[in-house]
Amino acid sequence: MNTYNPITALAVFFALSILAYLLFRPNKGWFWLIKNSSVSNDKIVVEDVLKLLYHNENADKHLNVNDIIRTLKYNDKLILECINRMSHHALISIEGDSVKLTKSGSDYALRIVRAHRLWEKFLAEKTGFKESEWHERAERMEHELSKVEADILSSQLGNPQFDPHGDPIPTNTGKIAKVKGIPVSELSIGTIGRIVHIKDKPEIIYKQILAENIHIGSVIRIMEKTPARIEFHSEGEAFVLAPIMAGNITVSVLEKDVVFEENLARLSILKENETAKIIGISKEIRGDSRRRLLDLGFVKGAEVKLDLLNPLGDPRAFLIKGTSIALRQNQASKILIQKD
Amino acid sequence: MNTNKIDHIIALSNDLRWQIGDEFHDNLAEGIYADAAEIVKGAVRKKDEKGTFRIDTKIDKIITSKVWGFPLMFIILAVVLWMTIVGANYPSAMLSGLLLDTIHPALKGFASNIGMPWWLDGFLIDGVYLAVAWVIAVMLPPMAIFFPLFTLLEDFGYLPRVAFNLDHLFKLSGAHGKQALTMSMGFGCNAAGIVATRIIDSPRERLIAIITNNFSLCNGRWPTQILIATIFVGALVPASYSGIMSLAAVIGIAVLGMVFMFLVSWGLSKTVLKGEVSTFNLELPPYRPPRFWKTIYTSIIDRTLIVLWRAIVFAAPAGAVIWLISNIYLGDASIATWLIDSLDGFGFLLGLNGVILVAYIVAIPANEIVIPTILMLTVLVTGISAGEGAGVMFELDSATATGDILRAGGWTLLTAINLMLFSLLHNPCSTTIYTIYKETKSVKWTTVASVLPVILGFVVTFLVAQIWRLLA
Amino acid sequence: MEVKPKSACETCVQFNADGLKKLGVNTSDFDFVVALAGNPNTGKSTVFNAMTGLRQHTGNWPGKTVTRAEGAFEYNKEKFKLVDLPGTYSLLSTSEDEEVARNFILFGKPSVTVIVVDASRLERNLNLVLQILEITNNAVLCLNLMDEAQRNNLEINTRTLAKDLGIPVVPTSARYNRGIPELIQTISELANGKIVCKPHRIKNIPKNIEQALEKLSAEIKEVYPDIPNSRWIALRLLEGDRNIIETLKTGEFV
Ligand SMILES: Nc1nc2c(ncn2[C@@H]2O[C@H](COP(=O)(O)OP(=O)(O)OP(=O)(O)O)[C@@H](O)[C@H]2O)c(=O)[nH]1
Ligand SMILES: [Mg+2]
């Protein structure tokens, strides 16, 4: 105890804390770096090559070895090694210049695509991760889900046919549903349709679309169309898009007798003493949280009133079917109403 | 052939599901509500046009108002604690007078009359009996006041409003607003709070609620806080203010616990439990005037006595263990002395001492017995116990007497404050740890939930001790 | 099948106070299982306590009960095991917090299901009631919190309600033990088949769903002619519920 001195003690403590931080901080901590680098990623490379080929073949494009090396961000030598091994195992065949998937190669690729899209569906339905994060997380998870796990996940999700972007999820036998629809850029003024697909590539455009709050399942109506811009209304808001963004959104055209609700508002803007009628819940709310809202009485036609504000502004309580129910503002902003 | 048919049915259902499309659930819910509306229209009649539940709305307007919402929460917490602290004084003194001053000597006398061997007498009467008596005297009165008051608030319908008011803070820390409810349950008992986290349906947010529940001071720790605050913090100011001062100290610790809960929730949701916050929806029930006497009666019978029983069940063997480790010798020193000596250095670094650390090890089964263990071990090390012998709990009819013993054991204001901090920030009791395991079914998360608070406790008390000594 | 819903006053005369024994936690050798289902915070645990003499924790916030609790009472020499469940908003959801209750209502095969509702918020409570009525033929509506409904000037015609729902309706104020004898009497009559229900079936289901349901439930009936709730199973199949697919394969629900 004779060497004790509070300052020394504090200094030692801070030195240790900094060391612990460097070792264990999320993602970049030395401990994690060392741990992750030792995991072999051959499997991941192989699967990424398969997926790349699959997507390109679907678009009728054929790649050569150089294309693959250029597109994938791995060590060149590693990719070459993997390609060799893959052709040895008859997952791919190299015909002259181009690399093609064999039957077993494309089956394998489909399994990865299935895992990827199922995981995105899972993230959308069961978790609160941001939409812009889904793709990246699924990119990682697709390599980890086994076939059996994918099947279990699929049935837990009610064997969905499409992922949250509207892309078809291959079934466990490899069947794929067709997306039917027309890009928004090709619709004429006055058409009413439901968004069925939003391309998630290229990423820059996808993120822009998301930033606009445009979602699968929303009903839209084309208001204006010039070579430079397309304007449409959806869920009470007006959207203006450049044609290249509009080209990445596919809609299925609805019959003419569908009533398209204009003058919609969001529940979040309801003020004290105002009443309104619920028109519906935006498609951004999915899965369990959507069901819960419906069960709590937020169904089409229900009367709603703002009941309570909150000292911190959020959440607010709404009076619906005789009971006060508190919702956070970001949820309330996804419930569509028509003020009385 | 049956399996064929069933496979066919399942395939058919898949086809149909895809034909119906994703509006299925919405349409169904709307359909059911349409039926409900029709039925209600035929069966329910409102007798006059006045709105229903109007008083409720008025109360709610105040309880959730910008001006009154938060102050009211603190005032209510303060009133409950104040009634507990003040109200418990008198019955506590009476009980310890009876159990420790009257019955204990009588038992000793009886034992020596029938010629009981010294070790059996010491083990049973000085070990087991004294520990139990201490727990009853110190725990029963505050619990018998705290629980009924809490239950009255719960029955009135105040808890969901707390969750409503606090939700934004939970959202900012990446947690679920219903964690406010489980936190409140934790003020009674952490194990109960952890079971209550089942109302949180997002697994990630539920884990956060489980791991941070320990930052709610549970009934096993309130008496410790109250006692130490009364002896050391209350004594800092003139007697007429000492009640307020110790109340402020206890509330400070409770609020600090909430601050830690928010911080740790935030830290977890930014690192290991990453993810966006999911949705939150909470039904705010109408206020219901509680049935006063019935509530008091059942909460004393159910909660207080059950919790007390648990404390006794753990205190009795702990008393025995304490007596044993103080009376079994390894070489020159008893096990207890040996343990205390080896932990003293570390304890000093934390502004505590070896006795406190040993007490916390002995008290893993139940937090309730920390203070009696500390007292008994202090008596053992300082050797101030003249007549009773090793491992005997001292007779404490007043807080002053307790304070004298602790000061004789070298306690300062720093020791007291750090003990209060450490009592807030240390591992959950064994029951809670087991409950965490049952609820999470994961050794990993159980370990995190058990170890994280101790590490925090070490860090906080260490920092406080160093800074205190620098400034002093 | 015959509908014979009773109003509270027909039954209270018949209640045999001497025949009632609250048995507390002693649930051995029971003759019937009775489930207490309902939305959160409608007074299920209070009803449970009133009938068994136990002291399940109650509290004025939704979600107080999170695990199922069992107790028993004896009435006219028959033993009833009573199961108190956590509150649920719906049987259609897949959320984890409601799993315990959902599973018991669906697969616990209770002889009688007591659906406890808040009388002053009947409409929102009916959401669950109508779902439960799709799966069971033996249920009674416990119209609880009647004192509160009266204070708020609501008048409820229990006769009409019983006719519309096709099950007996018993108004209660569980906290003050009002209506509990009638409830016990009704449960006993239901269990012994003296009252036969003809539960309401949801009418406002959109056409496309209704057609799909009919198609599916006809097929199910072909394989399992004896099951009462083929329509519900069809509904769950349309949702893609794994549990139901499994039970369908094993045929365990009969
Ligand atoms: N005024 C009045 N209050 C009642 C009555 N029945 C129950 N309560 C109160 O309503 C509140 C909720 O009762 P519980 O029995 O806990 O409700 P529960 O349905 O078990 O709730 P969960 O377990 O959360 O689903 C409590 O505060 C009860 O005291 C009644 O008949 N009249
Ligand atoms: Mg309950």
Side-chain angles (χ1 to χ4, degrees):
Chain A
M1 207 99 337
N2 33 19
T3 59
Y4 170 77
N5 163 342
I7 297 194
T8 339
L10 281 177
V12 172
F13 172 78
F14 283 117
L16 285 177
S17 317
I18 290 172
L19 185 66
Y21 173 75
L22 288 177
L23 276 176
F24 297 108
R25 79 185 138 154
N27 302 329
K28 286 194 216 109
W30 298 340
F31 177 80
W32 309 123
L33 289 184
I34 293 168
K35 194 175 154 208
N36 289 346
S37 66
S38 61
V39 178
S40 124
N41 39 18
D42 286 6
K43 176 166 181 280
I44 299 183
V45 177
V46 169
E47 292 180 351
D48 281 352
V49 172
L50 286 173
K51 226 172 48 165
L52 182 72
L53 288 172
Y54 173 81
H55 285 309
N56 277 288
E57 281 182 13
N58 264 5
D60 274 333
K61 271 189 253 165
H62 294 283
L63 302 182
N64 59 34
V65 178
N66 276 339
D67 294 330
I68 299 177
I69 291 177
R70 219 172 324 115
T71 329
L72 293 178
K73 292 186 187 66
Y74 293 107
N75 180 323
D76 294 359
K77 226 177 86 199
L78 185 63
I79 299 184
L80 269 181
E81 253 174 54
C82 288
I83 290 183
N84 280 335
R85 203 137 22 99
M86 286 160 76
S87 84
H88 179 73
H89 287 305
L91 290 172
I92 51 176
S93 60
I94 305 180
E95 293 166 19
D97 205 18
S98 68
V99 183
K100 281 194 177 132
L101 286 174
T102 61
K103 174 79 177 67
S104 66
S106 92
D107 283 352
Y108 193 164
L110 271 175
R111 230 168 64 210
I112 306 298
V113 172
R114 174 171 158 84
H116 179 100
R117 292 183 178 165
L118 277 173
W119 194 252
E120 285 194 341
K121 183 80 178 167
F122 168 79
L123 290 175
E125 293 261 321
K126 302 279 180 185
T127 71
F129 285 107
K130 277 202 212 97
E131 203 160 339
S132 51
E133 275 184 52
W134 294 344
H135 184 71
E136 217 171 290
R137 290 187 170 268
E139 281 287 292
R140 262 177 279 148
M141 202 58 195
E142 66 190 11
H143 305 295
E144 287 168 32
L145 277 184
S146 72
K147 190 169 184 318
V148 180
E149 282 167 337
D151 287 349
I152 294 177
L153 183 64
S154 168
S155 54
Q156 266 169 3
L157 294 168
N159 296 319
Q161 202 172 7
F162 294 99
D163 78 359
H165 307 295
D167 285 315
I169 300 174
T171 63
N172 57 0
T173 51
K175 261 187 267 166
I176 305 181
K178 283 249 154 48
V179 184
K180 284 176 247 144
I182 308 172
V184 169
S185 48
E186 285 164 29
L187 296 175
S188 53
I189 295 178
T191 327
I192 298 173
R194 184 191 306 281
I195 300 179
V196 288
H197 181 231
I198 299 176
K199 266 198 210 148
D200 56 358
K201 274 171 254 170
E203 205 163 314
I204 312 170
I205 296 190
Y206 179 57
K207 290 222 162 123
Q208 273 173 355
I209 296 177
L210 286 188
E212 292 276 350
N213 255 331
I214 296 171
H215 295 276
I216 303 260
S218 304
V219 175
I220 67 166
R221 175 190 217 162
I222 309 290
M223 304 306 288
E224 209 195 303
K225 194 180 165 194
T226 69
R229 47 179 256 155
I230 292 164
E231 181 182 340
F232 63 83
H233 287 187
S234 172
E235 297 180 346
E237 274 180 56
F239 298 88
V240 179
L241 296 184
I244 121 162
M245 277 163 81
N248 279 0
I249 304 173
T250 315
V251 299
S252 78
V253 177
L254 297 175
E255 322 272 301
K256 280 284 177 252
D257 60 345
V258 178
V259 221
F260 183 76
E261 306 279 356
E262 287 289 351
N263 74 51
L264 287 183
R266 310 256 161 169
L267 185 55
S268 49
I269 64 147
L270 201 63
K271 297 196 188 59
E272 263 178 298
N273 300 324
E274 286 180 340
T275 57
K277 221 188 233 83
I278 303 243
I279 299 298
I281 303 174
S282 155
K283 295 293 168 202
E284 288 164 72
I285 298 189
R286 314 178 172 79
D288 283 347
S289 45
R290 184 181 191 89
R291 287 176 200 172
R292 177 55 60 82
L293 283 178
L294 291 168
D295 287 330
L296 287 172
F298 291 92
V299 289
K300 205 184 275 168
E303 287 280 333
V304 59
K305 208 180 136 200
L306 179 64
D307 191 39
L308 286 177
L309 293 164
N310 176 298
L312 300 175
D314 192 16
R316 292 177 180 184
F318 300 95
L319 195 65
I320 186 148
K321 293 192 192 285
T323 296
S324 187
I325 302 223
L327 293 183
R328 287 180 178 164
Q329 281 293 81
N330 59 353
Q331 284 164 278
S333 72
K334 286 165 195 151
I335 296 176
L336 308 172
I337 55 165
Q338 200 163 32
K339 282 197 202 171
D340 292 336
Chain B
M1 75 144 253
N2 235 1
T3 43
N4 267 344
K5 266 250 162 88
I6 287 165
D7 285 343
H8 169 70
I9 293 179
I10 291 167
L12 179 68
S13 75
N14 286 340
D15 283 353
L16 287 170
R17 172 164 55 246
W18 288 350
Q19 276 171 31
I20 293 171
D22 58 352
E23 300 275 276
F24 172 65
H25 212 93
D26 290 38
N27 291 338
L28 192 61
E30 279 157 24
I32 299 176
Y33 265 114
D35 269 33
E38 276 171 25
I39 295 173
V40 166
K41 211 165 143 210
V44 182
R45 201 167 63 90
K46 219 161 164 182
K47 270 190 285 192
D48 61 42
E49 275 315 299
K50 269 193 243 153
T52 43
F53 296 104
R54 283 167 67 224
I55 313 157
D56 288 73
T57 317
K58 278 189 193 143
I59 303 179
D60 265 339
K61 284 261 145 71
I62 300 170
I63 283 187
T64 64
S65 74
K66 267 208 163 64
V67 184
W68 286 109
F70 280 87
L72 260 176
M73 284 193 315
F74 285 106
I75 292 172
I76 290 177
L77 181 65
V79 169
V80 168
L81 285 181
W82 182 77
M83 288 172 81
T84 311
I85 293 177
V86 173
N89 263 340
Y90 180 67
S92 250
M94 228 177 61
L95 276 174
S96 58
L98 178 72
L99 295 175
L100 302 173
D101 289 350
T102 317
I103 299 185
H104 182 240
L107 282 175
K108 292 291 272 189
F110 175 71
S112 73
N113 275 349
I114 61 166
M116 202 184 264
W118 71 272
W119 53 269
L120 186 62
D121 160 12
F123 180 84
L124 283 180
I125 301 176
D126 294 338
V128 177
Y129 171 79
L130 269 189
V132 170
W134 205 93
V135 165
I136 293 181
V138 175
M139 303 271 316
L140 181 64
M143 268 162 33
I145 299 175
F146 183 82
F147 272 143
L149 288 178
F150 185 84
T151 315
L152 284 177
L153 279 178
E154 188 185 346
D155 272 354
F156 179 57
Y158 187 61
L159 293 194
R161 272 73 185 181
V162 173
F164 179 69
N165 282 347
L166 288 179
D167 176 64
H168 193 61
L169 298 179
F170 282 101
K171 187 181 163 196
L172 290 181
S173 54
H176 198 283
K178 287 186 185 171
Q179 195 174 323
L181 296 170
T182 63
M183 177 189 81
S184 311
M185 291 282 103
F187 283 139
C189 168
N190 292 140
I194 280 158
V195 178
T197 60
R198 291 188 186 192
I199 53 173
I200 299 172
D201 57 8
S202 136
R204 185 188 75 87
E205 286 156 14
R206 185 168 172 224
L207 254 178
I208 293 181
I210 289 179
I211 294 172
T212 56
N213 196 272
N214 192 39
F215 297 121
S216 296
L217 276 180
C218 70
N219 66 67
R221 297 182 274 170
W222 287 113
T224 309
Q225 300 286 349
I226 293 172
L227 188 76
I228 300 297
T230 316
I231 297 174
F232 286 91
V233 186
L236 290 178
V237 292
S240 47
Y241 296 109
S242 70
I244 304 258
M245 185 68 190
S246 31
L247 176 66
V250 176
I251 292 183
I253 294 284
V255 171
L256 192 68
M258 290 187 218
V259 172
F260 271 110
M261 186 212 48
F262 281 120
L263 287 181
V264 173
S265 301
W266 179 81
L268 286 171
S269 71
K270 284 280 168 290
T271 55
V272 274
L273 287 172
K274 222 169 170 173
E276 279 288 294
V277 281
S278 65
T279 54
F280 164 80
N281 46 64
L282 177 67
E283 192 177 326
L284 299 173
Y287 291 101
R288 299 194 164 122
R291 297 181 76 192
F292 192 79
W293 292 113
K294 187 156 181 196
T295 306
I296 303 250
Y297 171 78
T298 44
S299 64
I300 289 184
I301 296 291
D302 284 358
R303 296 218 195 169
T304 314
L305 290 188
I306 286 176
V307 171
L308 186 73
W309 175 241
R310 188 185 93 93
I312 291 173
V313 166
F314 283 112
V321 167
I322 294 167
W323 190 86
L324 285 175
I325 61 171
S326 334
N327 284 284
I328 296 179
Y329 280 75
L330 295 176
D332 297 343
S334 68
I335 299 182
T337 333
W338 183 81
L339 271 175
I340 291 167
D341 285 347
S342 49
L343 285 172
D344 238 353
F346 184 53
F348 175 77
L349 267 187
L350 303 180
L352 301 167
N353 58 37
V355 167
I356 298 177
L357 294 180
V358 173
Y360 269 99
I361 296 171
V362 175
I364 286 178
N367 283 300
E368 292 83 344
I369 55 175
V370 165
I371 290 291
T373 314
I374 288 178
L375 285 174
M376 182 242 104
L377 293 174
T378 307
V379 169
L380 177 81
V381 213
T382 54
I384 49 173
S385 111
E388 306 276 18
V392 180
M393 217 168 283
F394 230 65
E395 301 176 10
L396 303 156
D397 29 21
S398 70
T400 358
T402 314
D404 289 343
I405 294 183
L406 293 178
R407 286 198 189 86
W411 282 48
T412 60
L413 184 58
L414 170 66
T415 326
I417 288 179
N418 271 358
L419 175 71
M420 287 171 79
L421 287 171
F422 195 67
S423 146
L424 174 72
L425 303 169
H426 69 87
N427 55 290
C429 71
S430 56
T431 316
T432 307
I433 295 178
Y434 178 60
T435 312
I436 296 176
Y437 177 72
K438 268 202 312 197
E439 294 295 313
T440 59
K441 296 198 184 67
S442 144
V443 177
K444 177 178 147 203
W445 292 117
T446 313
T447 318
V448 170
S450 314
V451 174
L452 187 77
V454 200
I455 294 179
L456 261 178
F458 286 157
V459 171
V460 169
T461 49
F462 171 81
L463 289 177
V464 169
Q466 310 317 312
I467 292 168
W468 185 283
R469 285 171 191 153
L470 272 181
L471 299 182
Chain C
M1 280 204 215
E2 178 201 10
V3 206
K4 206 178 69 182
K6 307 193 167 194
S7 84
C9 273
E10 282 171 66
T11 47
C12 59
V13 201
Q14 299 165 4
F15 179 69
N16 169 15
D18 296 335
L20 179 67
K21 242 192 268 167
K22 296 176 183 176
L23 297 174
V25 285
N26 173 15
T27 55
S28 50
D29 310 323
F30 51 85
D31 301 296
F32 301 105
V33 181
V34 180
L36 280 170
N39 278 24
N41 206 34
T42 51
K44 296 174 295 298
S45 302
T46 313
V47 171
F48 176 87
N49 290 346
M51 296 210 269
T52 59
L54 287 173
R55 283 190 299 264
Q56 250 313 94
H57 287 189
T58 64
N60 191 10
W61 51 284
K64 176 78 203 184
T65 309
V66 285
T67 51
R68 74 180 226 224
E70 297 183 353
F73 64 89
E74 188 184 293
Y75 182 63
N76 290 342
K77 302 246 154 59
E78 283 167 333
K79 258 187 96 167
F80 294 81
K81 177 168 110 175
L82 199 57
V83 182
D84 182 24
L85 295 169
T88 25
Y89 286 108
S90 164
L91 301 180
L92 293 168
S93 73
T94 48
S95 65
E96 267 177 53
D97 53 337
E98 299 189 335
E99 194 173 299
V100 177
R102 222 169 37 228
N103 283 350
F104 191 84
I105 299 169
L106 293 173
F107 308 113
K109 299 178 198 134
S111 331
V112 178
T113 308
V114 178
I115 316 171
V116 183
V117 300
D118 177 348
S120 35
R121 295 180 176 74
L122 196 53
E123 186 178 339
R124 61 167 45 252
N125 280 254
L126 283 180
N127 179 36
L128 178 72
V129 175
L130 294 177
Q131 292 177 25
I132 295 179
L133 293 188
E134 286 283 327
I135 50 173
T136 173
N137 279 331
N138 252 359
V140 45
L141 192 78
C142 168
L143 202 54
N144 194 30
L145 293 149
M146 275 308 278
D147 53 324
E148 219 165 77
Q150 267 151 15
R151 223 170 339 123
N152 287 297
N153 290 315
L154 291 173
E155 211 172 69
I156 301 177
N157 187 335
T158 46
R159 233 172 233 279
T160 322
L161 194 58
K163 208 169 76 215
D164 285 346
L165 292 176
I167 55 169
V169 173
V170 183
T172 61
S173 293
R175 207 201 235 197
Y176 308 97
N177 276 321
R178 268 179 248 147
I180 298 297
E182 291 84 342
L183 185 60
I184 290 175
Q185 171 71 23
T186 313
I187 291 172
S188 139
E189 286 180 27
L190 272 170
N192 289 305
K194 286 189 204 142
I195 303 179
V196 181
C197 302
K198 187 166 179 291
H200 174 100
R201 293 289 138 106
I202 304 164
K203 294 196 210 79
N204 284 306
I205 295 180
K207 260 207 201 80
N208 58 343
I209 301 181
E210 186 63 61
Q211 281 163 1
L213 282 183
E214 266 162 30
K215 222 182 197 167
L216 261 181
S217 80
E219 300 254 349
I220 296 168
K221 271 206 177 126
E222 233 174 80
V223 187
Y224 298 111
D226 304 326
I227 50 172
N229 46 11
S230 59
R231 211 164 94 113
W232 178 262
I233 290 167
L235 205 61
R236 297 307 299 168
L237 279 180
L238 282 183
E239 289 247 358
D241 183 324
R242 267 164 60 74
N243 276 337
I244 287 282
I245 294 177
E246 289 305 312
T247 31
L248 195 65
K249 282 182 181 152
T250 52
E252 261 164 16
F253 38 54
V254 213

